[in-house]
C-alpha cells in the first residue's frame, strides 16, 4: 500500500486513493480511523509558510481528531482552511480546551472513575487543540487541581465533577459556575451534596465546594472558586470565619450571595449586618426548595 506524510501531524502513514481524495489511515490526527485530503490541494497546504504551518496545522490536526473520534467523516480541501479557523468548534481559551479533554474521556468511558488510556500521549496534544505538548500538560495539571480528572501516567479517569462537566458541555447546556461554602461538618456536606447541590444544577448553576481536607490549599482554592463564580451560597452554621470571609470577597466583587444558617445558630450570628440576612433552615430539603425558588424567581 502506498504511504504518504500527513502534513498536519508529520507522520508517514498508508493512504488509500479514492476519487479526488487521498485517505490517510491511522495517523496522529485520526488514530484508529482515517481522514481524506483532496489530492490536488496537498501541495497548496505544503507551500504555506513555516509560521502559517506552526499556527494552523495543530488546529487542523485537532479538528480532524475530534470529528473522527465522534465518528464523523472528514474530507478536507484547501478551501476548508479558513472555515476551520473560524469554526465555533475550535476552542479559543484554556478552559474550553480543557473541556475538550473532558469530553474525550467522557466519550471513552461509561461512568466516573473508569480508566481511559491515552496512547502516545506526547503525540496527542491535538486532543486539547494545543500547539504543543507543554500546553496540554498545563491543561491536564489544571484539570487535576480543579478535581475534574485523575491521572497516573497515560491512564486518565474522570471524577464525578469532571463527568458532570463533560456531560453538560456536550449536551450544549452551559452551567454558570457557583461556589458553595459551609462549615467543615462532614454530615452536612454529605446531605447538601445529596439534596441541595442537584437543585442548584437544575437552576442552571454548576456548584463547587473547596476541598477542606487541605488547610494549606483551602484558602487559595476558595478565593479562586469565588472569583470565577456567578453566585455564592454561604452557610453560617457553626459560625465559620472562612465563610464570612468568602462572603465578603463575593460582595466586594458584586457576586450575589445567598446566606443560610441552621436554626440552632440563627440567633447567635457572629456578624450583624443588613447585607447578611440568612435563610433559616432545619432540613436540607428546605434549603433546596428555597434555593430553587430564589433562583427560578
Amino acid at each position: 500500500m502506498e504511504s504518504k506524510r500527513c502534513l498536519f501531524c508529520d507522520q508517514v502513514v498508508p493512504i488509500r486513493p479514492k476519487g479526488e481524495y487521498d485517505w490517510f489511515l491511522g495517523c496522529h490526527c485520526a488514530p484508529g480511523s482515517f481522514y481524506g485530503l483532496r489530492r490536488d490541494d496537498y501541495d497548496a497546504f505544503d507551500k504555506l509558510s513555516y509560521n502559517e504551518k506552526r499556527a494552523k496545522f495543530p488546529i487542523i490536526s485537532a479538528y480532524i481528531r475530534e470529528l473522527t473520534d465522534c465518528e464523523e467523516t472528514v474530507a478536507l480541501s484547501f478551501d476548508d482552511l479558513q472555515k476551520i479557523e473560524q469554526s465555533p468548534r475550535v476552542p479559543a481559551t484554556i478552559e474550553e480546551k480543557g473541556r475538550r479533554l473532558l469530553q474525550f474521556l467522557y466519550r471513552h468511558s461509561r461512568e466516573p472513575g473508569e480508566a481511559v488510556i491515552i496512547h502516545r500521549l506526547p503525540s496527542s496534544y491535538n486532543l486539547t487543540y494545543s500547539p504543543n505538548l507543554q500546553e496540554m500538560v498545563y491543561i491536564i495539571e489544571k484539570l487535576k487541581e480543579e478535581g475534574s480528572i485523575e491521572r497516573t501516567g497515560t491512564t486518565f479517569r474522570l471524577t464525578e465533577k469532571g463527568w458532570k462537566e463533560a456531560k453538560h458541555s456536550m449536551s450544549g447546556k452551559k452551567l454558570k459556575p457557583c461556589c458553595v461554602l459551609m462549615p467543615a461538618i462532614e454530615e452536612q456536606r454529605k446531605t447538601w451534596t445529596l439534596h441541595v447541590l442537584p437543585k442548584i444544577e437544575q437552576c442552571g448553576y454548576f456548584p463547587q465546594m473547596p476541598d477542606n481536607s487541605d488547610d494549606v490549599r483551602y484558602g487559595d482554592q476558595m478565593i479562586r472558586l469565588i472569583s470565577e463564580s456567578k453566585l455564592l451560597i454561604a452557610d453560617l452554621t457553626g459560625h465559620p470565619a472562612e465563610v464570612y470571609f468568602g462572603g465578603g470577597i463575593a460582595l466586594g466583587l458584586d457576586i450575589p450571595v445567598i446566606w443560610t444558617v441552621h436554626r440552632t445558630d440563627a440567633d447567635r450570628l457572629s456578624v450583624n449586618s443588613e447585607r447578611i440576612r440568612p435563610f433559616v433552615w432545619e432540613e436540607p430539603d428546605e434549603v433546596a426548595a428555597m434555593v430553587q425558588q430564589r433562583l427560578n424567581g
Side-chain angles (χ1 to χ4, degrees), residues 58-109:
I59 294 175
I60 297 174
S61 177
Y63 183 85
I64 295 169
R65 180 153 192 183
E66 182 176 26
L67 266 64
T68 54
D69 192 67
C70 293
E71 299 182 351
E72 296 184 37
T73 301
V74 179
L76 301 178
S77 68
F78 193 73
D79 292 338
D80 292 320
L81 180 58
Q82 186 176 9
K83 182 185 73 174
I84 294 173
E85 291 179 300
Q86 297 175 351
S87 171
R89 299 186 76 149
V90 176
T93 66
I94 290 294
E95 288 71 24
E96 291 173 342
K97 292 179 178 183
R99 280 193 285 272
R100 289 301 196 280
L101 181 57
L102 297 181
Q103 292 170 4
F104 172 82
L105 298 175
Y106 181 85
R107 288 194 298 270
H108 289 265
S109 56

Side-chain angles (χ1 to χ4, degrees), residues 33 75 162 166 196 198-199 216 230 282 288 296:
S33 186
V196 181
K199 295 294 182 182
V216 176
K230 300 297 183 183
E282 206 159 357
N296 288 336

Side-chain angles (χ1 to χ4, degrees), residues 141-247:
E141 291 303 311
K142 186 173 185 293
L143 291 173
K144 284 176 58 180
E145 290 177 4
E146 293 172 354
S148 298
I149 65 171
E150 297 173 350
R151 176 196 175 190
T152 305
T154 59
T155 301
F156 293 77
R157 290 179 171 84
L158 283 175
T159 63
E160 290 282 354
K161 175 188 173 185
W163 181 268
K164 289 181 180 179
E165 286 180 299
K167 182 178 180 180
H168 286 303
S169 64
M170 291 179 71
S171 66
K173 181 181 178 182
K174 295 183 179 179
L175 300 182
K176 292 176 282 189
C178 168
C179 182
V180 179
L181 298 181
M182 64 175 61
I185 303 173
E186 191 60 31
E187 188 59 34
Q188 180 178 334
R189 292 175 73 90
K190 287 181 180 179
T191 55
W192 274 52
T193 299
L194 289 173
H195 299 280
V196 181
L197 302 195
K199 295 294 182 182
I200 297 174
E201 281 191 34
Q202 291 175 15
C203 296
Y205 289 85
F206 184 71
Q208 300 182 73
M209 291 188 287
D211 183 4
N212 63 353
S213 64
D214 187 340
D215 293 336
V216 176
R217 294 178 55 192
Y218 177 83
D220 291 339
Q221 188 183 24
M222 178 183 71
I223 293 172
R224 179 180 60 79
L225 287 178
I226 293 173
S227 64
E228 294 174 351
S229 293
K230 300 297 183 183
L231 173 71
L232 173 66
I233 297 177
D235 186 72
L236 300 173
T237 304
H239 318 296
E242 66 274 13
V243 176
Y244 282 101
F245 176 67

